[in-house]
Amino acid sequence: MFFKSAFAFSALFWLVAGVCFVAPLSWIAVTLISNRNALDELRLDSFRVQLLTRTIAYNASVAVVATLIAIPAAIAIGRGRGIWTKPLLLLLPISLLLPSIAFEYGWKQTLRLTGAFPSPQSGGDIVRCVWTLAAWLWPIPAAMGAMALRRVDASILEQASLDGVLGRMTLRILAKPQAVACAIVFVLASQEFAVFEPSGISVVATEVRMVFETGAYSSNENPITQTFGAAGGEPMGSRGQNARAAAAIFTALPLTVLTIVIAVVVWVAARRLAVEGEMHVGPRASIVRAPAWVVAVAYLLIGITSVLPIVAMVMSLQNRVDAVRIWKTFSPQILGSLSLAMMAMCVALCLSVLQLSRKRRVVIVLASMCFLVGGQMLAIGLIRLFNHQATAIVYDTFMIAVLAYVSRFGWLALAGAATTWQRPWVSLRDMAAVDGASSGQILWRVVLPLAWPTLLAAGLLVGVLSMTEVAATVLLSPQNPQPLVPMLLGWVHLQRYDAMIEGTLLLCGVVVLAAAAIVGVAWLARRSSIALGRKS
Amino acid sequence: MEEDAAKIACGPRRAIQRLSSILHPRFSPSVPLCLCGLILFLPGCRDRDQPVAVWLSTGIGPAQVVYPRAIAYDKARDQFVVVDRMARVQRIDRGGNFIAAWRMPEYMMGKPVGVSVGPDGNIYIPDTHYQRIMVYSPDGQLIRQWGKPGTGPGEFIYPTDVAFDARGRVFVSEYGDHDRIQVFDMSGKYLTEFGTFGDGDGEFSRPQSIAIVGDAMYLADACNHRIGVWTINGKFVRNIGSVGTGPGQFRFPYGIDVTPDGKLLVTEFGNNRVQLIDPDSGRSVRQWGHAGREPGELAYPWAAVADVRGDVVIVDAGNNRLQVARW
């Protein structure tokens, strides 16, 4: 009986993993190999070199700024300061969970209120975009730095403090994780187009979307669109969706290769950091605690990056806030976003439960690759795979969006399940096996009752990120049910606009509520993990 | 009992039973997953309104569009003018065939969201993100332009639409911190203005589109989710509709036009449909479309126009096409 169940579970797992991870990656690979016409897009003429250089420069700036502003929070959380540290832990991830559109519009409103708004596409506007992305992504370097500091043996910090080199020692400890986090921020920033596009700033992410939707680059300097000038000008060449999709994949290829190289370096570095970090964390003397001013700066930065844009949006509202009216206005779209997110969460949960029965490293690698290629590439791959008469049931329903979200964020659920194959879980599994439990019994009666909070937290995280995902959602639009994000993206402009503000705040509210649920479940997960550690 | 159960177990219920039997009975996440899926899938199975034709396709070639947002009907030539998110203006004939096209001179900061054909036969385009009105000849030659950024007379923030009264005056709607209707003569000389931002009577929030019939001006008050009725002298008359999804209710009405028999043709961006409204009673006479990709379904429609025959051409922006409905 269990053999049959195990087989069914395994088949189901591979079916979902195959459709979500293997199929889009395979489509991208086949497209790259087979599409000779699209190779033209790889010509490194001056336009393309400039595009790539610009993209790297802007996103590298984002990474550096995010890493620098993360240092105070990393020190404050990493070295601790009693009761002042715990709220930081809760507040830090908020900005990362909110949609990038909220930051884009929030910062525009902040600058509009101060009367310092730069003209579109100017140097000041580029700085605004860089800051917007950095203010969104900085919790990543902050969290990585904090983890590195918390893992350091307390006696080392105490000795450094006695020697008067605590500051230098802290910065040395932070250097490696911050470098890794810097690379991660670069990768995530380069996948985002919602910040640059409304200003008309051309980067690879904006051009990938434009090439997929139109077959041509959006830029003024683009030799293709230049021909479309005067009335009765030379007609443009018509390209099918397959050709446009291939061209979009090739447009993104140089940056994707760079992303994968960075990811490999990050992975190697992260493994080394994890090995170095396995030290006993003892009680810490008060002399190594973060100085009060550092904690104050950390709070200030959280206030500036997360709270200020939201406050600016609220201050920009012209109409009085009427919850009933806002709900009536946005209920179909917010319910659409919630439905899709819940289904993505359910599928991710199923994947993670199925992953408990067997450690499948290759799937985690594939899922991570799906995340690295970005939401746009995944969406394009899935559209091309399912935009056929025979697969209309996937393409014309909610399924295509759910597949895209699981492809993009499924690695989180798989990684959550993979933790049950590390110590002390391995010892627990071994003990259960020695007691005569079958594989199925170990899974259902031993691992799952303890691991469910971890899996649920990871699943919820997949759901929240699905709700705020811009790249895949916009490319897959129109969807049924309709999510809120594509509607909001069309409204991002400089002037205050109540509908945009109300929709964004509603989405942020829902996300924060979901995040609160994640925190609660994660707390449960931590408790069960601690209990398990004590038992083993 | 078994027989009764078998009779009941048809359609969705049978589908649930079959899915449940395939999956492991203890695999509880499958049940909510299937239920969610069916709940969301079944509405998609309802009957659709069928269009009599679907015009244009995705792309930047002739008879292709990328997210079209505005349409105007040229009654004298029996042609349509369409503007899309590539800042392209295309003229097409009654069969949806390409006639001519040109591009706006600037477009990196944003693209036009409106277009109208004037009584002089020229094409008037509110160049929304460049704060000006552009006037083109039917073959795409720029004849004149007026307007600059600002909130003073003759200045604009985001002009959205142009309409004309019988006296040849040009009405321009705009939003963005200074929602109002400005009135010009045909040469672009400022005459007067009326209306202000707000949600009360005589106020509006994002007047996305305007239509004039005789002495009445109908205004798509997009963010107040209603239709404003004004006189062409700037006197507020009443509002039609409220926010919602029911008949006679609106969610982000972006487009408004008047059919040959005097009904209002309201395009709802938020409800993915077009409603025919009786302007006297404010009642919904007919609704067409719902969200989706198939013919007869709409995705973020921005505008619709009725031609002399009463056919309605709908700008199905999210699906990169026009759909022709007949009712």
mmCIF file of all heavy atoms in Angstrom, chain A residues 344-379:
data_model
loop_
_atom_site.group_PDB
_atom_site.id
_atom_site.type_symbol
_atom_site.label_atom_id
_atom_site.label_comp_id
_atom_site.label_asym_id
_atom_site.label_seq_id
_atom_site.Cartn_x
_atom_site.Cartn_y
_atom_site.Cartn_z
ATOM 1 N N ALA A 344 -1.147 29.310 -5.343
ATOM 2 C CA ALA A 344 0.308 29.114 -5.440
ATOM 3 C C ALA A 344 0.837 28.563 -4.119
ATOM 4 O O ALA A 344 1.696 27.669 -4.097
ATOM 5 C CB ALA A 344 0.989 30.435 -5.786
ATOM 6 N N MET A 345 0.302 29.094 -3.016
ATOM 7 C CA MET A 345 0.723 28.613 -1.699
ATOM 8 C C MET A 345 0.369 27.132 -1.530
ATOM 9 O O MET A 345 1.192 26.342 -1.041
ATOM 10 C CB MET A 345 0.032 29.445 -0.617
ATOM 11 C CG MET A 345 0.490 29.146 0.779
ATOM 12 S SD MET A 345 -0.544 29.955 2.015
ATOM 13 C CE MET A 345 -1.862 28.780 2.150
ATOM 14 N N CYS A 346 -0.832 26.753 -1.936
ATOM 15 C CA CYS A 346 -1.253 25.349 -1.807
ATOM 16 C C CYS A 346 -0.338 24.427 -2.614
ATOM 17 O O CYS A 346 0.094 23.382 -2.124
ATOM 18 C CB CYS A 346 -2.699 25.188 -2.277
ATOM 19 S SG CYS A 346 -3.890 25.937 -1.180
ATOM 20 N N VAL A 347 -0.044 24.829 -3.853
ATOM 21 C CA VAL A 347 0.822 23.992 -4.688
ATOM 22 C C VAL A 347 2.224 23.916 -4.073
ATOM 23 O O VAL A 347 2.836 22.841 -4.016
ATOM 24 C CB VAL A 347 0.883 24.540 -6.137
ATOM 25 C CG1 VAL A 347 1.857 23.733 -6.981
ATOM 26 C CG2 VAL A 347 -0.494 24.513 -6.764
ATOM 27 N N ALA A 348 2.710 25.045 -3.584
ATOM 28 C CA ALA A 348 4.043 25.062 -2.959
ATOM 29 C C ALA A 348 4.051 24.169 -1.721
ATOM 30 O O ALA A 348 5.030 23.443 -1.475
ATOM 31 C CB ALA A 348 4.420 26.491 -2.586
ATOM 32 N N LEU A 349 2.969 24.220 -0.946
ATOM 33 C CA LEU A 349 2.873 23.361 0.245
ATOM 34 C C LEU A 349 2.894 21.881 -0.150
ATOM 35 O O LEU A 349 3.586 21.071 0.478
ATOM 36 C CB LEU A 349 1.586 23.669 1.003
ATOM 37 C CG LEU A 349 1.681 24.741 2.077
ATOM 38 C CD1 LEU A 349 0.296 25.038 2.624
ATOM 39 C CD2 LEU A 349 2.588 24.286 3.203
ATOM 40 N N CYS A 350 2.133 21.565 -1.193
ATOM 41 C CA CYS A 350 2.121 20.171 -1.671
ATOM 42 C C CYS A 350 3.523 19.742 -2.060
ATOM 43 O O CYS A 350 3.977 18.644 -1.706
ATOM 44 C CB CYS A 350 1.195 20.029 -2.878
ATOM 45 S SG CYS A 350 -0.513 20.307 -2.486
ATOM 46 N N LEU A 351 4.202 20.607 -2.796
ATOM 47 C CA LEU A 351 5.576 20.281 -3.227
ATOM 48 C C LEU A 351 6.477 20.032 -2.025
ATOM 49 O O LEU A 351 7.261 19.082 -2.000
ATOM 50 C CB LEU A 351 6.160 21.426 -4.045
ATOM 51 C CG LEU A 351 5.971 21.404 -5.553
ATOM 52 C CD1 LEU A 351 6.615 22.641 -6.157
ATOM 53 C CD2 LEU A 351 6.583 20.155 -6.177
ATOM 54 N N SER A 352 6.357 20.898 -1.021
ATOM 55 C CA SER A 352 7.244 20.769 0.135
ATOM 56 C C SER A 352 6.921 19.513 0.940
ATOM 57 O O SER A 352 7.825 18.838 1.438
ATOM 58 C CB SER A 352 7.191 22.017 1.018
ATOM 59 O OG SER A 352 5.883 22.245 1.453
ATOM 60 N N VAL A 353 5.608 19.169 1.041
ATOM 61 C CA VAL A 353 5.248 17.934 1.760
ATOM 62 C C VAL A 353 5.807 16.715 1.016
ATOM 63 O O VAL A 353 6.364 15.799 1.619
ATOM 64 C CB VAL A 353 3.709 17.830 1.913
ATOM 65 C CG1 VAL A 353 3.311 16.452 2.441
ATOM 66 C CG2 VAL A 353 3.205 18.896 2.866
ATOM 67 N N LEU A 354 5.672 16.763 -0.310
ATOM 68 C CA LEU A 354 6.189 15.640 -1.099
ATOM 69 C C LEU A 354 7.714 15.564 -1.027
ATOM 70 O O LEU A 354 8.293 14.493 -1.126
ATOM 71 C CB LEU A 354 5.737 15.781 -2.554
ATOM 72 C CG LEU A 354 4.223 15.659 -2.766
ATOM 73 C CD1 LEU A 354 3.849 16.067 -4.179
ATOM 74 C CD2 LEU A 354 3.745 14.250 -2.488
ATOM 75 N N GLN A 355 8.334 16.722 -0.839
ATOM 76 C CA GLN A 355 9.800 16.760 -0.742
ATOM 77 C C GLN A 355 10.285 16.140 0.568
ATOM 78 O O GLN A 355 11.434 15.727 0.674
ATOM 79 C CB GLN A 355 10.265 18.224 -0.845
ATOM 80 C CG GLN A 355 11.727 18.492 -0.573
ATOM 81 C CD GLN A 355 12.604 18.230 -1.795
ATOM 82 O OE1 GLN A 355 12.188 17.532 -2.713
ATOM 83 N NE2 GLN A 355 13.807 18.753 -1.785
ATOM 84 N N LEU A 356 9.389 16.057 1.564
ATOM 85 C CA LEU A 356 9.796 15.484 2.855
ATOM 86 C C LEU A 356 10.163 14.012 2.741
ATOM 87 O O LEU A 356 10.968 13.488 3.511
ATOM 88 C CB LEU A 356 8.653 15.614 3.869
ATOM 89 C CG LEU A 356 8.320 16.994 4.403
ATOM 90 C CD1 LEU A 356 7.150 16.894 5.366
ATOM 91 C CD2 LEU A 356 9.508 17.616 5.094
ATOM 92 N N SER A 357 9.504 13.337 1.760
ATOM 93 C CA SER A 357 9.707 11.889 1.680
ATOM 94 C C SER A 357 11.064 11.529 1.101
ATOM 95 O O SER A 357 11.567 10.440 1.323
ATOM 96 C CB SER A 357 8.602 11.254 0.837
ATOM 97 O OG SER A 357 8.692 11.746 -0.485
ATOM 98 N N ARG A 358 11.628 12.442 0.360
ATOM 99 C CA ARG A 358 12.902 12.132 -0.279
ATOM 100 C C ARG A 358 13.642 13.427 -0.582
ATOM 101 O O ARG A 358 13.033 14.401 -1.027
ATOM 102 C CB ARG A 358 12.637 11.389 -1.594
ATOM 103 C CG ARG A 358 13.826 10.606 -2.057
ATOM 104 C CD ARG A 358 13.412 9.701 -3.196
ATOM 105 N NE ARG A 358 14.564 9.342 -3.984
ATOM 106 C CZ ARG A 358 14.504 8.780 -5.173
ATOM 107 N NH1 ARG A 358 13.332 8.504 -5.707
ATOM 108 N NH2 ARG A 358 15.588 8.477 -5.836
ATOM 109 N N LYS A 359 14.925 13.426 -0.342
ATOM 110 C CA LYS A 359 15.697 14.638 -0.607
ATOM 111 C C LYS A 359 16.059 14.676 -2.089
ATOM 112 O O LYS A 359 16.798 13.828 -2.578
ATOM 113 C CB LYS A 359 16.965 14.646 0.238
ATOM 114 C CG LYS A 359 17.693 15.967 0.221
ATOM 115 C CD LYS A 359 18.948 15.897 1.042
ATOM 116 C CE LYS A 359 19.648 17.235 1.085
ATOM 117 N NZ LYS A 359 20.913 17.143 1.803
ATOM 118 N N ARG A 360 15.503 15.637 -2.785
ATOM 119 C CA ARG A 360 15.764 15.719 -4.229
ATOM 120 C C ARG A 360 16.516 17.017 -4.497
ATOM 121 O O ARG A 360 15.918 18.053 -4.783
ATOM 122 C CB ARG A 360 14.443 15.683 -4.992
ATOM 123 C CG ARG A 360 13.606 14.437 -4.724
ATOM 124 C CD ARG A 360 12.256 14.589 -5.383
ATOM 125 N NE ARG A 360 11.420 13.425 -5.213
ATOM 126 C CZ ARG A 360 10.514 13.291 -4.256
ATOM 127 N NH1 ARG A 360 10.343 14.252 -3.361
ATOM 128 N NH2 ARG A 360 9.780 12.204 -4.180
ATOM 129 N N ARG A 361 17.837 16.911 -4.431
ATOM 130 C CA ARG A 361 18.668 18.112 -4.582
ATOM 131 C C ARG A 361 18.495 18.747 -5.960
ATOM 132 O O ARG A 361 18.501 19.959 -6.102
ATOM 133 C CB ARG A 361 20.142 17.747 -4.392
ATOM 134 C CG ARG A 361 20.572 17.780 -2.954
ATOM 135 C CD ARG A 361 22.076 17.885 -2.862
ATOM 136 N NE ARG A 361 22.494 17.614 -1.502
ATOM 137 C CZ ARG A 361 23.379 16.705 -1.151
ATOM 138 N NH1 ARG A 361 23.950 15.952 -2.055
ATOM 139 N NH2 ARG A 361 23.712 16.528 0.107
ATOM 140 N N VAL A 362 18.365 17.875 -6.952
ATOM 141 C CA VAL A 362 18.317 18.383 -8.326
ATOM 142 C C VAL A 362 17.114 19.309 -8.536
ATOM 143 O O VAL A 362 17.206 20.307 -9.260
ATOM 144 C CB VAL A 362 18.316 17.200 -9.330
ATOM 145 C CG1 VAL A 362 17.040 16.364 -9.233
ATOM 146 C CG2 VAL A 362 18.470 17.713 -10.756
ATOM 147 N N VAL A 363 16.014 19.018 -7.848
ATOM 148 C CA VAL A 363 14.827 19.862 -8.007
ATOM 149 C C VAL A 363 15.071 21.235 -7.375
ATOM 150 O O VAL A 363 14.640 22.267 -7.922
ATOM 151 C CB VAL A 363 13.584 19.189 -7.386
ATOM 152 C CG1 VAL A 363 12.353 20.054 -7.565
ATOM 153 C CG2 VAL A 363 13.355 17.853 -8.025
ATOM 154 N N ILE A 364 15.769 21.233 -6.237
ATOM 155 C CA ILE A 364 16.061 22.525 -5.604
ATOM 156 C C ILE A 364 16.960 23.357 -6.525
ATOM 157 O O ILE A 364 16.779 24.568 -6.666
ATOM 158 C CB ILE A 364 16.727 22.318 -4.223
ATOM 159 C CG1 ILE A 364 15.758 21.564 -3.310
ATOM 160 C CG2 ILE A 364 17.108 23.653 -3.602
ATOM 161 C CD1 ILE A 364 16.301 21.253 -1.947
ATOM 162 N N VAL A 365 17.920 22.692 -7.161
ATOM 163 C CA VAL A 365 18.806 23.409 -8.092
ATOM 164 C C VAL A 365 17.990 23.980 -9.258
ATOM 165 O O VAL A 365 18.138 25.148 -9.634
ATOM 166 C CB VAL A 365 19.923 22.460 -8.616
ATOM 167 C CG1 VAL A 365 20.726 23.137 -9.723
ATOM 168 C CG2 VAL A 365 20.840 22.057 -7.473
ATOM 169 N N LEU A 366 17.082 23.154 -9.803
ATOM 170 C CA LEU A 366 16.250 23.614 -10.921
ATOM 171 C C LEU A 366 15.344 24.767 -10.491
ATOM 172 O O LEU A 366 15.190 25.760 -11.216
ATOM 173 C CB LEU A 366 15.390 22.460 -11.454
ATOM 174 C CG LEU A 366 16.132 21.372 -12.234
ATOM 175 C CD1 LEU A 366 15.216 20.185 -12.502
ATOM 176 C CD2 LEU A 366 16.670 21.922 -13.544
ATOM 177 N N ALA A 367 14.756 24.626 -9.306
ATOM 178 C CA ALA A 367 13.870 25.685 -8.808
ATOM 179 C C ALA A 367 14.658 26.977 -8.581
ATOM 180 O O ALA A 367 14.165 28.070 -8.885
ATOM 181 C CB ALA A 367 13.205 25.237 -7.506
ATOM 182 N N SER A 368 15.886 26.847 -8.081
ATOM 183 C CA SER A 368 16.714 28.041 -7.867
ATOM 184 C C SER A 368 17.059 28.689 -9.209
ATOM 185 O O SER A 368 17.095 29.921 -9.319
ATOM 186 C CB SER A 368 18.006 27.675 -7.136
ATOM 187 O OG SER A 368 17.690 27.004 -5.951
ATOM 188 N N MET A 369 17.314 27.869 -10.215
ATOM 189 C CA MET A 369 17.617 28.417 -11.545
ATOM 190 C C MET A 369 16.411 29.172 -12.102
ATOM 191 O O MET A 369 16.555 30.219 -12.734
ATOM 192 C CB MET A 369 18.035 27.309 -12.505
ATOM 193 C CG MET A 369 19.471 26.868 -12.285
ATOM 194 S SD MET A 369 19.966 25.617 -13.452
ATOM 195 C CE MET A 369 20.052 26.544 -14.955
ATOM 196 N N CYS A 370 15.224 28.615 -11.838
ATOM 197 C CA CYS A 370 14.002 29.302 -12.279
ATOM 198 C C CYS A 370 13.910 30.682 -11.628
ATOM 199 O O CYS A 370 13.532 31.662 -12.271
ATOM 200 C CB CYS A 370 12.767 28.484 -11.905
ATOM 201 S SG CYS A 370 12.452 27.132 -13.026
ATOM 202 N N PHE A 371 14.257 30.753 -10.348
ATOM 203 C CA PHE A 371 14.224 32.038 -9.659
ATOM 204 C C PHE A 371 15.244 32.996 -10.269
ATOM 205 O O PHE A 371 14.973 34.179 -10.465
ATOM 206 C CB PHE A 371 14.512 31.836 -8.167
ATOM 207 C CG PHE A 371 14.529 33.116 -7.392
ATOM 208 C CD1 PHE A 371 13.355 33.804 -7.141
ATOM 209 C CD2 PHE A 371 15.717 33.640 -6.915
ATOM 210 C CE1 PHE A 371 13.360 34.995 -6.435
ATOM 211 C CE2 PHE A 371 15.734 34.825 -6.208
ATOM 212 C CZ PHE A 371 14.553 35.501 -5.967
ATOM 213 N N LEU A 372 16.415 32.441 -10.601
ATOM 214 C CA LEU A 372 17.486 33.294 -11.105
ATOM 215 C C LEU A 372 17.202 33.850 -12.501
ATOM 216 O O LEU A 372 17.621 34.960 -12.812
ATOM 217 C CB LEU A 372 18.810 32.514 -11.136
ATOM 218 C CG LEU A 372 19.430 32.229 -9.772
ATOM 219 C CD1 LEU A 372 20.636 31.338 -9.926
ATOM 220 C CD2 LEU A 372 19.812 33.526 -9.091
ATOM 221 N N VAL A 373 16.522 33.079 -13.329
ATOM 222 C CA VAL A 373 16.261 33.610 -14.679
ATOM 223 C C VAL A 373 15.225 34.737 -14.644
ATOM 224 O O VAL A 373 15.133 35.511 -15.583
ATOM 225 C CB VAL A 373 15.826 32.525 -15.694
ATOM 226 C CG1 VAL A 373 16.899 31.482 -15.861
ATOM 227 C CG2 VAL A 373 14.503 31.903 -15.327
ATOM 228 N N GLY A 374 14.461 34.810 -13.572
ATOM 229 C CA GLY A 374 13.567 35.948 -13.387
ATOM 230 C C GLY A 374 12.142 35.684 -13.842
ATOM 231 O O GLY A 374 11.881 34.792 -14.661
ATOM 232 N N GLY A 375 11.246 36.492 -13.317
ATOM 233 C CA GLY A 375 9.817 36.325 -13.585
ATOM 234 C C GLY A 375 9.460 36.513 -15.050
ATOM 235 O O GLY A 375 8.581 35.834 -15.574
ATOM 236 N N GLN A 376 10.145 37.433 -15.718
ATOM 237 C CA GLN A 376 9.808 37.692 -17.124
ATOM 238 C C GLN A 376 10.105 36.483 -18.000
ATOM 239 O O GLN A 376 9.285 36.062 -18.809
ATOM 240 C CB GLN A 376 10.604 38.886 -17.628
ATOM 241 C CG GLN A 376 10.194 40.191 -17.016
ATOM 242 C CD GLN A 376 10.599 41.372 -17.885
ATOM 243 O OE1 GLN A 376 9.815 41.913 -18.623
ATOM 244 N NE2 GLN A 376 11.843 41.764 -17.791
ATOM 245 N N MET A 377 11.285 35.930 -17.825
ATOM 246 C CA MET A 377 11.692 34.783 -18.662
ATOM 247 C C MET A 377 10.779 33.587 -18.390
ATOM 248 O O MET A 377 10.391 32.866 -19.317
ATOM 249 C CB MET A 377 13.146 34.412 -18.361
ATOM 250 C CG MET A 377 14.106 35.535 -18.590
ATOM 251 S SD MET A 377 14.734 35.558 -20.249
ATOM 252 C CE MET A 377 16.171 34.564 -20.029
ATOM 253 N N LEU A 378 10.457 33.384 -17.112
ATOM 254 C CA LEU A 378 9.567 32.269 -16.775
ATOM 255 C C LEU A 378 8.195 32.462 -17.414
ATOM 256 O O LEU A 378 7.621 31.536 -17.985
ATOM 257 C CB LEU A 378 9.391 32.173 -15.253
ATOM 258 C CG LEU A 378 10.564 31.621 -14.466
ATOM 259 C CD1 LEU A 378 10.267 31.704 -12.990
ATOM 260 C CD2 LEU A 378 10.854 30.190 -14.865
ATOM 261 N N ALA A 379 7.689 33.690 -17.306
ATOM 262 C CA ALA A 379 6.372 33.969 -17.882
ATOM 263 C C ALA A 379 6.390 33.746 -19.393
ATOM 264 O O ALA A 379 5.473 33.135 -19.952
ATOM 265 C CB ALA A 379 5.961 35.404 -17.553
#
